[in-house]
Amino acid sequence: MNQLTAKAIKINCESNDYQRLLKCGEDTSALHAGMVCLQPGMSVGKHNTKDGEEVLIILEGEGEISFVGSESLKMEKGFMIYCPSFTEHDVRNTGKEALRYVFVVAKV
């Protein structure tokens, strides 16, 4: 791995595409991050971050995050969501506007 350096990364909050912000093993030693934009009715699909804990920081819009075997949580601008490692989940835009959020996954 390259020597790690401090950096400032510009987030394109108007983008309608996925934006990688940090890549584990390249930009950092233990985490990766990105910005996601979901259009109304879209979801990211069920997944888990295996041995990584995840936080989602909602920048715009509204939606819900569902967890296998647990209740769903509402998501909206100004909220942060925490997902424990090995927890299957799915994020869905339930609103009428784009849902934009930044996720950060850190290995435990």
Side-chain angles (χ1 to χ4, degrees):
M1 177 168 58
N2 299 336
Q3 183 172 348
L4 301 177
T5 60
K7 56 189 85 211
I9 300 162
K10 173 79 170 145
I11 299 172
N12 181 357
C13 292
E14 302 301 317
S15 174
N16 288 325
D17 295 318
Y18 168 80
Q19 183 181 2
R20 186 186 90 189
L21 301 173
L22 294 169
K23 183 175 181 181
C24 184
E26 187 176 307
D27 300 312
T28 73
S29 60
L31 59 90
H32 67 274
M35 197 274 298
V36 175
C37 178
L38 292 176
Q39 297 304 314
M42 291 182 63
S43 76
V44 296
K46 288 182 184 176
H47 65 285
N48 76 62
T49 54
K50 299 181 179 152
D51 63 346
E53 294 179 299
E54 182 176 23
V55 294
L56 289 73
I57 302 160
I58 314 309
L59 304 174
E60 180 178 287
E62 58 186 61
E64 70 177 19
I65 183 167
S66 58
F67 301 93
V68 172
S70 185
E71 293 185 32
S72 297
L73 298 174
K74 299 279 185 201
M75 303 168 51
E76 62 184 44
K77 180 179 178 178
F79 277 77
M80 184 179 84
I81 307 292
Y82 168 73
C83 301
S85 57
F86 298 103
T87 302
E88 189 169 290
H89 58 281
D90 187 10
V91 175
R92 176 173 298 283
N93 182 339
T94 59
K96 296 181 181 184
E97 306 292 330
L99 170 64
R100 287 186 175 82
Y101 64 91
V102 170
F103 71 87
V104 179
V105 177
K107 292 181 183 179
V108 289

XYZ file of all heavy atoms in Angstrom:
830
model
N 0.843 -1.180 0.000
C 0.000 0.000 0.000
C 0.888 1.244 0.000
O 1.941 1.268 0.623
C -0.909 -0.011 1.229
C -1.753 1.220 1.342
S -3.091 1.163 2.571
C -2.219 0.839 4.065
N 0.432 2.262 -0.714
C 1.145 3.532 -0.757
C 1.105 4.208 0.605
O 0.242 3.910 1.428
C 0.506 4.474 -1.787
C 0.539 3.914 -3.181
O 1.374 3.076 -3.496
N -0.366 4.361 -4.018
N 2.033 5.130 0.821
C 2.004 5.900 2.060
C 0.742 6.763 2.067
O 0.412 7.405 1.074
C 3.246 6.779 2.166
C 3.283 7.544 3.465
C 4.598 8.273 3.651
O 5.557 8.047 2.932
N 4.633 9.157 4.624
N 0.031 6.756 3.175
C -1.207 7.513 3.280
C -0.914 8.972 3.546
O 0.033 9.311 4.267
C -2.073 6.943 4.399
C -2.465 5.480 4.245
C -3.253 5.015 5.453
C -3.260 5.274 2.973
N -1.736 9.843 2.964
C -1.584 11.271 3.159
C -2.952 11.882 3.444
O -3.985 11.358 3.030
C -0.990 11.963 1.910
O -1.870 11.740 0.799
C 0.388 11.425 1.587
N -2.938 12.998 4.154
C -4.169 13.740 4.399
C -4.687 14.272 3.072
O -3.910 14.536 2.148
C -3.903 14.895 5.365
N -5.995 14.385 2.951
C -6.568 14.881 1.701
C -7.917 15.525 1.956
O -8.583 15.206 2.941
C -6.679 13.772 0.659
C -7.466 12.551 1.120
C -7.367 11.404 0.136
C -6.178 10.639 0.371
N -5.310 9.947 -0.168
N -8.300 16.416 1.074
C -9.632 17.018 1.056
C -10.289 16.549 -0.236
O -9.683 16.629 -1.314
C -9.546 18.535 1.094
N -11.504 16.040 -0.138
C -12.195 15.478 -1.290
C -13.482 16.252 -1.514
O -14.325 16.349 -0.607
C -12.493 13.984 -1.063
C -11.172 13.244 -0.865
C -13.292 13.398 -2.211
C -11.316 11.890 -0.231
N -13.639 16.798 -2.699
C -14.845 17.556 -3.051
C -15.958 16.571 -3.383
O -15.806 15.679 -4.207
C -14.553 18.452 -4.264
C -15.745 19.161 -4.822
C -16.092 20.361 -4.003
C -17.149 21.181 -4.753
N -18.080 21.793 -3.880
N -17.093 16.701 -2.698
C -18.268 15.871 -2.962
C -19.171 16.633 -3.921
O -19.547 17.777 -3.654
C -19.032 15.547 -1.661
C -18.138 14.770 -0.697
C -20.302 14.759 -1.966
C -18.735 14.579 0.671
N -19.519 16.007 -5.032
C -20.436 16.612 -5.989
C -21.861 16.285 -5.554
O -22.419 15.253 -5.929
C -20.161 16.098 -7.402
C -21.087 16.717 -8.418
O -21.978 17.484 -8.088
N -20.881 16.377 -9.679
N -22.446 17.152 -4.750
C -23.779 16.907 -4.185
C -24.889 17.031 -5.222
O -26.042 16.737 -4.924
C -24.040 17.861 -3.023
S -22.989 17.516 -1.601
N -24.578 17.450 -6.440
C -25.568 17.543 -7.508
C -25.538 16.312 -8.412
O -26.397 16.145 -9.261
C -25.311 18.795 -8.353
C -25.338 20.085 -7.562
C -26.668 20.320 -6.859
O -27.727 20.079 -7.480
O -26.657 20.737 -5.692
N -24.566 15.450 -8.223
C -24.402 14.283 -9.074
C -25.559 13.303 -8.918
O -26.098 13.137 -7.825
C -23.088 13.567 -8.722
O -22.992 12.356 -9.442
N -25.939 12.663 -10.004
C -26.961 11.624 -9.971
C -26.331 10.246 -10.061
O -27.019 9.258 -10.307
C -27.969 11.822 -11.099
C -28.873 13.003 -10.829
O -29.239 13.275 -9.692
N -29.231 13.719 -11.872
N -25.030 10.169 -9.907
C -24.297 8.919 -9.987
C -23.605 8.629 -8.662
O -23.457 9.506 -7.820
C -23.225 8.988 -11.092
C -23.829 9.132 -12.467
O -24.836 8.445 -12.748
O -23.301 9.935 -13.254
N -23.133 7.378 -8.542
C -22.297 6.994 -7.403
C -20.966 7.729 -7.510
O -20.424 7.879 -8.614
C -22.074 5.473 -7.422
C -21.016 5.007 -6.467
C -21.307 4.846 -5.121
C -19.715 4.747 -6.898
C -20.332 4.423 -4.227
C -18.743 4.323 -6.018
C -19.060 4.165 -4.690
O -18.095 3.754 -3.807
N -20.448 8.174 -6.402
C -19.150 8.848 -6.377
C -18.281 8.199 -5.313
O -18.612 8.252 -4.127
C -19.357 10.337 -6.069
C -18.103 11.157 -6.086
C -18.374 12.622 -5.755
O -19.488 13.037 -5.467
N -17.332 13.407 -5.786
N -17.204 7.534 -5.732
C -16.273 6.976 -4.759
C -15.494 8.115 -4.130
O -14.985 8.994 -4.826
C -15.296 6.004 -5.429
C -14.416 5.303 -4.387
C -13.369 4.457 -5.010
N -12.202 5.318 -5.193
C -11.136 4.966 -5.866
N -11.045 3.809 -6.444
N -10.120 5.794 -5.972
N -15.389 8.107 -2.803
C -14.671 9.153 -2.091
C -13.344 8.644 -1.542
O -12.332 9.333 -1.638
C -15.545 9.729 -0.968
C -16.878 10.334 -1.435
C -17.732 10.718 -0.234
C -16.644 11.519 -2.352
N -13.338 7.473 -0.933
C -12.123 6.863 -0.390
C -12.143 5.365 -0.686
O -13.183 4.728 -0.559
C -12.036 7.051 1.126
C -11.867 8.470 1.643
C -12.061 8.495 3.155
C -10.507 9.024 1.257
N -10.987 4.826 -1.032
C -10.871 3.387 -1.287
C -9.897 2.770 -0.293
O -8.743 3.203 -0.186
C -10.389 3.134 -2.709
C -10.329 1.666 -3.059
C -9.954 1.454 -4.505
C -9.924 -0.026 -4.818
N -9.531 -0.259 -6.201
N -10.384 1.753 0.432
C -9.553 1.053 1.403
C -8.378 0.381 0.694
O -8.547 -0.238 -0.346
C -10.393 0.013 2.137
S -9.513 -0.836 3.452
N -7.207 0.511 1.270
C -6.014 -0.085 0.697
C -5.321 0.813 -0.306
O -4.191 0.550 -0.697
N -6.002 1.858 -0.738
C -5.406 2.810 -1.671
C -5.346 4.200 -1.046
O -4.287 4.812 -0.987
C -6.240 2.849 -2.953
C -5.645 3.668 -4.061
C -6.484 3.562 -5.319
O -6.760 2.429 -5.768
O -6.875 4.623 -5.853
N -6.493 4.681 -0.577
C -6.569 6.007 0.042
C -6.470 5.948 1.563
O -6.124 6.938 2.192
C -7.900 6.682 -0.315
C -8.074 6.867 -1.815
O -7.139 7.355 -2.464
O -9.152 6.515 -2.328
N -6.869 4.812 2.145
C -6.902 4.646 3.592
C -6.445 3.235 3.950
O -6.343 2.370 3.085
C -8.329 4.834 4.168
O -9.115 3.698 3.822
C -8.992 6.091 3.647
N -6.219 3.002 5.230
C -5.814 1.660 5.662
C -6.983 0.823 6.165
O -6.880 -0.397 6.205
C -4.744 1.751 6.752
O -5.245 2.445 7.871
N -8.122 1.444 6.540
C -9.178 0.646 7.164
C -10.602 1.073 6.812
O -11.537 0.567 7.395
C -9.010 0.680 8.681
N -10.795 2.008 5.879
C -12.162 2.396 5.555
C -12.309 2.756 4.093
O -11.333 2.994 3.389
C -12.659 3.532 6.454
C -11.908 4.862 6.459
C -12.464 5.806 5.413
C -12.041 5.497 7.829
N -13.563 2.751 3.644
C -13.889 3.276 2.325
C -15.171 4.082 2.432
O -15.939 3.933 3.394
C -13.963 2.190 1.247
C -15.084 1.215 1.381
N -15.004 0.086 2.152
C -16.314 1.192 0.824
C -16.136 -0.593 2.059
N -16.945 0.051 1.265
N -15.372 4.973 1.468
C -16.506 5.883 1.529
C -16.948 6.258 0.127
O -16.168 6.207 -0.823
C -16.131 7.139 2.316
N -18.209 6.645 0.041
C -18.751 7.093 -1.238
C -20.012 7.898 -1.029
O -20.568 7.948 0.072
N -20.462 8.536 -2.115
C -21.722 9.273 -2.112
C -22.659 8.537 -3.060
O -22.262 8.160 -4.158
C -21.520 10.715 -2.575
C -22.671 11.660 -2.230
S -24.043 11.740 -3.396
C -23.281 12.350 -4.857
N -23.881 8.294 -2.604
C -24.875 7.557 -3.379
C -26.051 8.482 -3.671
O -26.466 9.255 -2.809
C -25.375 6.316 -2.599
C -26.499 5.607 -3.327
C -24.220 5.359 -2.334
N -26.589 8.388 -4.882
C -27.806 9.103 -5.243
C -28.813 8.078 -5.744
O -28.540 7.351 -6.700
C -27.520 10.138 -6.331
S -29.008 11.013 -6.862
N -29.962 8.004 -5.077
C -31.035 7.101 -5.483
C -32.240 7.928 -5.923
O -32.683 8.819 -5.192
C -31.465 6.199 -4.328
C -30.483 5.155 -3.836
C -31.056 4.432 -2.617
C -30.162 4.166 -4.937
N -32.761 7.626 -7.086
C -33.971 8.282 -7.572
C -35.191 7.679 -6.872
O -35.108 6.583 -6.303
C -34.071 8.140 -9.092
C -32.940 8.824 -9.852
C -32.817 10.309 -9.513
O -33.812 11.034 -9.476
N -31.600 10.759 -9.252
N -36.330 8.361 -6.881
C -37.529 7.849 -6.214
C -37.841 6.403 -6.619
O -37.778 6.051 -7.798
C -38.631 8.810 -6.680
C -37.902 10.093 -6.912
C -36.580 9.677 -7.491
N -38.137 5.577 -5.604
C -38.468 4.179 -5.826
C -37.282 3.242 -5.964
O -37.440 2.031 -5.914
N -36.076 3.781 -6.127
C -34.891 2.936 -6.298
C -34.346 2.462 -4.954
O -34.568 3.098 -3.930
C -33.788 3.693 -7.043
C -34.089 3.978 -8.487
S -32.705 4.831 -9.302
C -31.417 3.596 -9.184
N -33.605 1.344 -5.001
C -32.911 0.854 -3.806
C -31.514 0.425 -4.209
O -31.229 0.215 -5.391
C -33.671 -0.308 -3.160
O -33.489 -1.491 -3.902
N -30.644 0.266 -3.222
C -29.285 -0.197 -3.498
C -29.218 -1.713 -3.561
O -28.255 -2.270 -4.059
C -28.249 0.333 -2.469
C -28.149 1.836 -2.554
C -28.576 -0.123 -1.072
N -30.222 -2.392 -3.033
C -30.227 -3.852 -2.996
C -29.686 -4.363 -1.668
O -28.868 -3.716 -1.020
N -30.170 -5.538 -1.268
C -29.718 -6.129 -0.004
C -28.233 -6.434 -0.078
O -27.744 -6.980 -1.057
C -30.484 -7.413 0.291
C -31.913 -7.189 0.692
C -32.591 -8.503 1.020
C -34.052 -8.264 1.328
N -34.759 -9.531 1.547
N -27.544 -6.063 0.992
C -26.103 -6.310 1.081
C -25.681 -6.211 2.540
O -26.463 -5.784 3.389
C -25.319 -5.301 0.230
C -25.431 -3.892 0.709
N -26.571 -3.118 0.528
C -24.553 -3.121 1.393
C -26.364 -1.928 1.064
N -25.159 -1.904 1.611
N -24.456 -6.608 2.824
C -23.866 -6.344 4.134
C -22.414 -5.982 3.918
O -21.840 -6.259 2.867
C -24.059 -7.501 5.123
C -23.155 -8.666 4.877
O -21.939 -8.538 4.955
N -23.733 -9.824 4.577
N -21.839 -5.336 4.880
C -20.464 -4.870 4.756
C -19.491 -5.826 5.436
O -18.375 -5.447 5.765
C -20.325 -3.447 5.329
O -20.829 -3.433 6.662
C -21.100 -2.450 4.495
N -19.949 -7.056 5.609
C -19.147 -8.116 6.229
C -18.540 -7.627 7.530
O -19.259 -7.292 8.446
C -18.130 -8.655 5.240
C -18.809 -9.246 4.026
C -17.855 -9.810 3.051
C -18.672 -10.377 1.901
N -18.019 -10.392 0.669
N -17.214 -7.548 7.611
C -16.571 -7.173 8.870
C -16.406 -5.663 9.034
O -15.628 -5.206 9.852
C -15.221 -7.873 9.018
C -14.227 -7.467 7.940
O -14.640 -6.866 6.927
O -13.035 -7.765 8.094
N -17.179 -4.887 8.292
C -17.092 -3.437 8.397
C -18.336 -2.828 9.011
O -19.455 -3.235 8.709
N -18.139 -1.882 9.912
C -19.247 -1.095 10.437
C -19.501 0.043 9.447
O -18.571 0.559 8.848
C -18.904 -0.513 11.797
C -18.728 -1.558 12.869
C -18.374 -0.934 14.192
O -17.323 -0.269 14.270
O -19.156 -1.101 15.137
N -20.776 0.426 9.295
C -21.122 1.441 8.305
C -21.965 2.542 8.918
O -22.840 2.272 9.742
C -21.893 0.799 7.149
C -22.264 1.761 6.045
C -22.943 1.077 4.869
O -23.522 -0.018 5.042
O -22.896 1.649 3.778
N -21.684 3.774 8.510
C -22.567 4.893 8.820
C -23.003 5.526 7.504
O -22.251 5.548 6.532
C -21.921 5.960 9.746
C -21.654 5.406 11.123
C -20.683 6.552 9.140
N -24.249 5.988 7.486
C -24.816 6.700 6.352
C -25.207 8.084 6.843
O -25.898 8.204 7.866
C -26.055 5.988 5.815
C -25.860 4.672 5.086
C -25.506 3.560 6.042
C -27.099 4.319 4.316
N -24.781 9.111 6.139
C -25.095 10.495 6.495
C -25.982 11.044 5.386
O -25.553 11.160 4.235
C -23.805 11.327 6.645
C -22.915 10.681 7.719
C -24.144 12.783 6.975
C -21.475 11.086 7.654
N -27.230 11.347 5.737
C -28.219 11.737 4.746
C -28.057 13.224 4.418
O -28.189 14.087 5.286
C -29.660 11.454 5.242
C -29.766 10.059 5.871
C -30.658 11.655 4.106
C -29.219 8.918 5.049
N -27.785 13.506 3.132
C -27.569 14.870 2.667
C -28.841 15.499 2.124
O -29.030 16.717 2.222
C -26.512 14.893 1.562
C -25.153 14.294 1.895
C -24.275 14.255 0.650
C -24.493 15.088 3.008
N -29.709 14.652 1.517
C -30.886 15.186 0.828
C -31.904 14.073 0.617
O -31.534 12.929 0.367
C -30.441 15.744 -0.530
C -31.521 16.327 -1.385
C -30.945 16.880 -2.676
O -30.281 17.937 -2.605
O -31.154 16.253 -3.722
N -33.166 14.407 0.733
C -34.227 13.458 0.428
C -34.667 12.661 1.641
O -34.331 12.967 2.776
N -35.438 11.607 1.341
C -35.939 10.744 2.403
C -36.034 9.314 1.897
O -36.135 9.060 0.702
C -37.298 11.228 2.910
C -38.363 11.299 1.847
C -39.644 11.925 2.363
O -39.603 13.093 2.782
O -40.667 11.220 2.338
N -35.989 8.405 2.830
C -36.060 7.002 2.479
C -36.158 6.159 3.722
O -36.497 6.650 4.798
N -35.853 4.879 3.545
C -35.822 3.976 4.691
C -34.716 2.962 4.479
O -34.329 2.655 3.351
C -37.165 3.292 4.910
C -37.537 2.269 3.876
C -38.865 1.575 4.204
O -39.654 2.107 4.990
O -39.070 0.496 3.652
N -34.219 2.475 5.584
C -33.233 1.407 5.557
C -33.869 0.223 6.273
O -34.377 0.364 7.386
C -31.884 1.833 6.183
C -30.856 0.711 6.058
C -32.046 2.311 7.601
C -29.431 1.144 6.359
N -33.895 -0.902 5.586
C -34.490 -2.104 6.169
C -33.372 -3.076 6.527
O -32.363 -3.173 5.823
C -35.480 -2.752 5.200
O -34.859 -3.076 3.979
N -33.574 -3.769 7.628
C -32.621 -4.745 8.137
C -33.296 -6.101 8.187
O -34.451 -6.204 8.601
C -32.151 -4.369 9.548
C -31.486 -3.033 9.629
C -32.211 -1.897 9.944
C -30.129 -2.909 9.385
C -31.606 -0.662 10.025
C -29.516 -1.676 9.462
C -30.245 -0.549 9.780
N -32.590 -7.145 7.789
C -33.141 -8.493 7.863
C -33.380 -8.832 9.327
O -32.486 -8.675 10.164
C -32.190 -9.514 7.196
C -32.655 -10.935 7.439
C -32.081 -9.236 5.713
N -34.600 -9.246 9.672
C -34.934 -9.640 11.036
C -35.147 -8.501 12.001
O -35.164 -8.712 13.207
N -35.302 -7.275 11.499
C -35.476 -6.122 12.382
C -36.369 -5.094 11.690
O -36.657 -5.202 10.499
C -34.114 -5.510 12.713
O -34.242 -4.463 13.642
N -36.783 -4.077 12.440
C -37.617 -3.022 11.888
C -36.817 -2.102 10.980
O -35.612 -1.938 11.140
C -38.232 -2.197 13.011
C -39.244 -2.953 13.849
C -39.913 -2.063 14.872
O -40.091 -0.859 14.596
O -40.265 -2.577 15.937
N -37.529 -1.465 10.034
C -36.919 -0.465 9.163
C -36.771 0.851 9.917
O -37.516 1.131 10.850
C -37.789 -0.239 7.926
O -37.882 -1.400 7.164
N -35.817 1.653 9.485
C -35.618 2.983 10.048
C -35.860 4.019 8.963
O -35.412 3.843 7.826
C -34.192 3.145 10.576
C -33.750 2.231 11.709
C -32.263 2.436 11.992
C -34.574 2.491 12.954
N -36.561 5.097 9.307
C -36.760 6.215 8.387
C -35.455 6.985 8.263
O -34.695 7.107 9.222
C -37.862 7.146 8.885
C -39.207 6.481 9.019
C -39.876 6.417 7.689
C -41.288 5.855 7.875
N -41.816 5.322 6.668
N -35.206 7.505 7.076
C -34.010 8.295 6.808
C -34.452 9.625 6.201
O -35.328 9.640 5.343
C -33.102 7.576 5.797
C -32.676 6.203 6.205
S -31.911 5.255 4.849
C -30.680 6.360 4.226
N -33.841 10.713 6.630
C -34.095 12.002 6.005
C -32.907 12.916 6.254
O -32.046 12.634 7.100
C -35.389 12.636 6.500
C -35.420 12.937 7.969
C -36.771 13.480 8.416
O -37.815 12.945 8.005
O -36.767 14.452 9.182
N -32.872 13.993 5.498
C -31.778 14.957 5.575
C -31.471 15.309 7.024
O -32.372 15.544 7.827
C -32.157 16.221 4.811
C -31.103 17.291 4.824
C -31.556 18.488 4.028
C -30.512 19.582 4.083
N -30.917 20.732 3.265
N -30.178 15.309 7.347
C -29.753 15.678 8.692
C -29.593 14.513 9.642
O -29.157 14.703 10.767
N -29.928 13.288 9.205
C -29.794 12.113 10.056
C -28.562 11.305 9.681
O -28.087 11.354 8.550
C -31.031 11.202 9.937
C -32.163 11.639 10.809
C -32.954 12.716 10.448
C -32.442 10.977 11.995
C -34.003 13.128 11.239
C -33.493 11.384 12.801
C -34.279 12.464 12.418
N -28.073 10.552 10.655
C -27.002 9.582 10.433
C -27.529 8.229 10.877
O -28.173 8.117 11.917
C -25.751 9.946 11.227
C -24.591 9.004 10.951
S -23.096 9.444 11.865
C -23.434 8.649 13.417
N -27.251 7.200 10.089
C -27.682 5.837 10.373
C -26.441 4.987 10.634
O -25.446 5.113 9.919
C -28.459 5.238 9.175
C -29.614 6.146 8.737
C -28.911 3.814 9.457
C -30.730 6.264 9.722
N -26.508 4.116 11.616
C -25.410 3.194 11.927
C -25.842 1.769 11.612
O -26.929 1.341 12.002
C -25.030 3.297 13.403
C -24.118 2.177 13.853
C -22.782 2.144 13.468
C -24.604 1.142 14.644
C -21.955 1.102 13.860
C -23.778 0.099 15.047
C -22.460 0.093 14.646
O -21.647 -0.938 15.037
N -24.986 1.028 10.912
C -25.216 -0.392 10.590
C -24.056 -1.208 11.156
O -22.909 -1.023 10.732
C -25.270 -0.622 9.088
S -26.534 0.302 8.242
N -24.332 -2.121 12.072
C -23.260 -2.978 12.603
C -22.696 -3.901 11.522
O -23.343 -4.143 10.493
C -23.960 -3.800 13.692
C -25.246 -3.100 13.965
C -25.617 -2.386 12.717
N -21.523 -4.421 11.755
C -20.925 -5.369 10.816
C -21.795 -6.617 10.708
O -22.567 -6.937 11.608
C -19.500 -5.727 11.249
O -19.504 -6.248 12.559
N -21.689 -7.295 9.578
C -22.426 -8.528 9.276
C -23.947 -8.362 9.394
O -24.645 -9.315 9.719
C -21.938 -9.680 10.160
C -20.491 -10.009 9.944
C -19.532 -9.596 10.860
C -20.079 -10.712 8.830
C -18.190 -9.881 10.675
C -18.735 -11.004 8.623
C -17.788 -10.591 9.544
N -24.467 -7.167 9.128
C -25.902 -6.909 9.196
C -26.425 -6.627 7.790
O -26.094 -5.595 7.194
C -26.198 -5.700 10.108
O -25.677 -5.971 11.408
C -27.683 -5.438 10.219
N -27.240 -7.548 7.257
C -27.794 -7.354 5.919
C -28.813 -6.223 5.947
O -29.665 -6.167 6.837
C -28.440 -8.645 5.418
C -28.824 -8.559 3.958
C -29.217 -9.891 3.389
O -28.333 -10.756 3.220
O -30.420 -10.062 3.113
N -28.721 -5.327 4.954
C -29.614 -4.180 4.905
C -29.825 -3.719 3.463
O -29.106 -4.133 2.558
C -29.072 -3.031 5.769
C -27.708 -2.569 5.387
N -26.568 -3.242 5.760
C -27.301 -1.503 4.665
C -25.503 -2.603 5.289
N -25.926 -1.551 4.613
N -30.829 -2.871 3.282
C -31.147 -2.292 1.977
C -31.634 -0.873 2.207
O -32.372 -0.611 3.154
C -32.239 -3.114 1.284
C -32.503 -2.687 -0.148
O -31.735 -1.875 -0.697
O -33.499 -3.171 -0.725
N -31.211 0.045 1.354
C -31.636 1.441 1.419
C -32.560 1.698 0.234
O -32.227 1.360 -0.898
C -30.430 2.404 1.363
C -30.891 3.856 1.305
C -29.507 2.182 2.547
N -33.724 2.295 0.507
C -34.699 2.598 -0.548
C -35.136 4.053 -0.443
O -35.388 4.552 0.658
C -35.920 1.698 -0.419
C -37.033 2.008 -1.436
C -38.165 1.015 -1.411
N -37.736 -0.324 -1.746
C -37.472 -0.779 -2.987
N -37.564 0.033 -4.004
N -37.108 -2.025 -3.169
N -35.232 4.703 -1.600
C -35.765 6.058 -1.653
C -37.295 5.963 -1.646
O -37.888 5.423 -2.569
C -35.284 6.764 -2.923
C -35.770 8.195 -3.016
O -36.748 8.579 -2.385
N -35.093 8.989 -3.824
N -37.920 6.469 -0.602
C -39.376 6.450 -0.479
C -39.987 7.819 -0.757
O -41.199 7.986 -0.648
C -39.802 5.985 0.930
O -39.243 6.890 1.894
C -39.353 4.561 1.207
N -39.153 8.779 -1.114
C -39.635 10.140 -1.337
C -39.903 10.442 -2.800
O -39.884 9.556 -3.655
N -40.125 11.723 -3.073
C -40.424 12.190 -4.434
C -39.231 12.878 -5.087
O -39.294 13.261 -6.243
C -41.624 13.138 -4.394
C -42.889 12.436 -3.938
C -44.062 13.366 -3.921
C -45.271 12.568 -3.427
N -46.487 13.314 -3.436
N -38.171 13.043 -4.332
C -36.942 13.673 -4.819
C -35.787 12.686 -4.670
O -35.926 11.647 -4.029
C -36.638 14.949 -4.016
C -37.761 15.959 -3.961
C -38.044 16.617 -5.303
O -37.084 16.748 -6.107
O -39.193 16.990 -5.556
N -34.643 13.046 -5.212
C -33.460 12.191 -5.073
C -33.073 12.041 -3.603
O -33.222 12.975 -2.821
C -32.291 12.781 -5.854
N -32.603 10.852 -3.247
C -32.041 10.581 -1.921
C -30.536 10.520 -2.090
O -30.027 9.691 -2.847
C -32.571 9.257 -1.367
C -31.911 8.725 -0.096
C -32.144 9.677 1.078
C -32.421 7.331 0.236
N -29.834 11.434 -1.432
C -28.370 11.468 -1.515
C -27.808 11.265 -0.117
O -28.254 11.899 0.833
C -27.882 12.798 -2.080
C -28.137 12.959 -3.557
C -27.507 14.244 -4.096
N -27.657 14.326 -5.518
C -28.747 14.751 -6.150
N -29.786 15.168 -5.443
N -28.805 14.782 -7.453
N -26.806 10.381 -0.039
C -26.157 10.148 1.244
C -24.709 9.745 1.041
O -24.320 9.255 -0.002
C -26.901 9.103 2.074
C -26.945 7.707 1.480
C -25.971 6.764 1.782
C -27.969 7.325 0.628
C -26.015 5.484 1.253
C -28.034 6.054 0.104
C -27.054 5.131 0.420
O -27.088 3.868 -0.114
N -23.922 10.012 2.062
C -22.528 9.577 2.110
C -22.472 8.388 3.035
O -23.080 8.386 4.104
C -21.610 10.703 2.633
C -20.207 10.185 2.920
C -21.560 11.855 1.633
N -21.771 7.337 2.601
C -21.544 6.184 3.474
C -20.059 6.085 3.784
O -19.221 6.458 2.960
C -22.062 4.877 2.857
C -21.239 4.405 1.688
C -20.116 3.614 1.876
C -21.588 4.745 0.403
C -19.358 3.173 0.811
C -20.843 4.299 -0.679
C -19.719 3.518 -0.472
N -19.771 5.614 4.974
C -18.397 5.350 5.398
C -18.401 3.976 6.036
O -19.180 3.713 6.955
C -17.882 6.414 6.398
C -16.456 6.073 6.833
C -17.959 7.803 5.807
N -17.539 3.084 5.555
C -17.408 1.735 6.105
C -15.999 1.598 6.654
O -15.021 1.865 5.956
C -17.663 0.653 5.025
C -17.441 -0.725 5.593
C -19.062 0.784 4.448
N -15.919 1.175 7.919
C -14.630 0.975 8.576
C -14.488 -0.486 8.997
O -15.415 -1.046 9.598
C -14.496 1.871 9.800
N -13.374 -1.075 8.664
C -13.113 -2.458 9.094
C -12.975 -2.497 10.608
O -12.426 -1.594 11.211
C -11.816 -2.979 8.482
C -11.871 -3.172 7.005
C -10.534 -3.719 6.522
C -10.478 -3.877 5.031
N -9.176 -4.383 4.599
N -13.488 -3.585 11.211
C -13.341 -3.740 12.661
C -12.243 -4.735 12.948
O -11.836 -5.505 12.140
C -14.659 -4.174 13.338
C -15.636 -3.037 13.320
C -15.249 -5.403 12.686
